[in-house]
Amino acid sequence: MALFKTAVNTSAYLKAGLLGFAGTGKTRTATEIAIGMTLMMRERGLKEGNRPILFYDTETGADYVSHLVKAAGLGFATSKSRAFVDLKVAVKEAEETGSFLIIDSITHVWREFCAAYQKKKNRSKLEFQDWAILKAEWAVFTELYINSSCHIALCGRAGYEYDMEANEETGKKELQKTGVKMKAEGEMGYEPSLL
């Protein structure tokens, strides 16, 4: 039996991730993608093309892009929440009733999730052993996101990665910016099929 087989596309649903600093257009870009995908589904006669674009809004982003969705002649529904439990429900609901799900911003959900856990444990800060528990519970959402039968774009705030590097002039190690990452659970930036 051969290990390798002819390649086939098994990714039927877009899983996009948009990260950037304030004002870089994450919300607008996610909305434009959602509009384009929904119109394409409509053109192809897919039932999802007649469903509304759903927006899980942790900020006020939906307020600023609703006119774009309406101008395209599409339905638009929002949920204003930062709760992790609501996010998991939103993915399931989007599979059943939406054409496309926008999550903006995943950063707020992650922060609320960590803060709720910290409060539950009555701690002033998270401890090393907490991260395994938090990451395992967050993975429930990650699995829903990756495996859902819905197109999803999640927006996340950008943050800098830092590392200690030697200064060539002084020979001393200094904290340096070494890259940019999504401000969410550490692996979240690796999950989208398009980032």
Side-chain angles (χ1 to χ4, degrees), residues 160-178:
Y160 290 109
E161 291 182 321
Y162 294 91
D163 202 1
M164 296 298 286
E165 294 184 358
N167 181 321
E168 291 182 14
E169 293 176 15
T170 65
K172 294 182 180 179
K173 288 199 172 207
E174 298 175 351
L175 192 60
Q176 300 286 328
K177 291 179 188 173
T178 58

Side-chain angles (χ1 to χ4, degrees), residues 22-88:
T24 57
K26 299 178 293 296
T27 304
R28 172 73 183 241
T29 303
T31 303
E32 295 284 0
I33 291 169
I35 291 169
M37 292 285 293
T38 303
L39 290 174
M40 182 182 72
M41 286 183 274
R42 206 176 256 188
E43 287 172 10
R44 293 186 177 182
L46 300 173
K47 67 179 187 277
E48 292 88 351
N50 295 313
R51 296 176 179 173
I53 293 170
L54 304 180
F55 197 119
Y56 188 84
D57 193 1
T58 69
E59 302 174 328
T60 58
D63 300 344
Y64 296 101
V65 295
S66 63
H67 71 283
L68 298 171
V69 179
K70 289 175 186 167
L74 301 172
F76 193 55
T78 63
S79 173
K80 302 262 187 190
S81 177
R82 292 184 177 191
F84 180 67
V85 67
D86 291 344
L87 179 63
K88 294 185 289 184

Side-chain angles (χ1 to χ4, degrees), residues 66-130:
S66 63
H67 71 283
L68 298 171
V69 179
K70 289 175 186 167
L74 301 172
F76 193 55
T78 63
S79 173
K80 302 262 187 190
S81 177
R82 292 184 177 191
F84 180 67
V85 67
D86 291 344
L87 179 63
K88 294 185 289 184
V89 171
V91 173
K92 290 293 191 186
E93 191 173 319
E95 289 180 323
E96 298 168 10
T97 66
S99 64
F100 198 103
L101 173 62
I102 299 170
I103 301 167
D104 186 13
S105 154
I106 197 68
T107 303
H108 285 128
V109 179
W110 172 247
R111 288 178 178 165
E112 186 279 335
F113 176 64
C114 291
Y117 177 86
Q118 191 173 327
K119 184 177 179 180
K120 178 181 170 185
K121 294 293 184 178
N122 196 26
R123 296 207 177 115
S124 60
K125 65 179 185 170
L126 294 171
E127 298 174 6
F128 181 78
Q129 64 272 15
D130 295 326

Side-chain angles (χ1 to χ4, degrees), residues 130-141:
D130 295 326
W131 292 108
I133 297 164
L134 287 165
K135 287 176 174 285
E137 181 62 26
W138 186 261
V140 173
F141 161 69

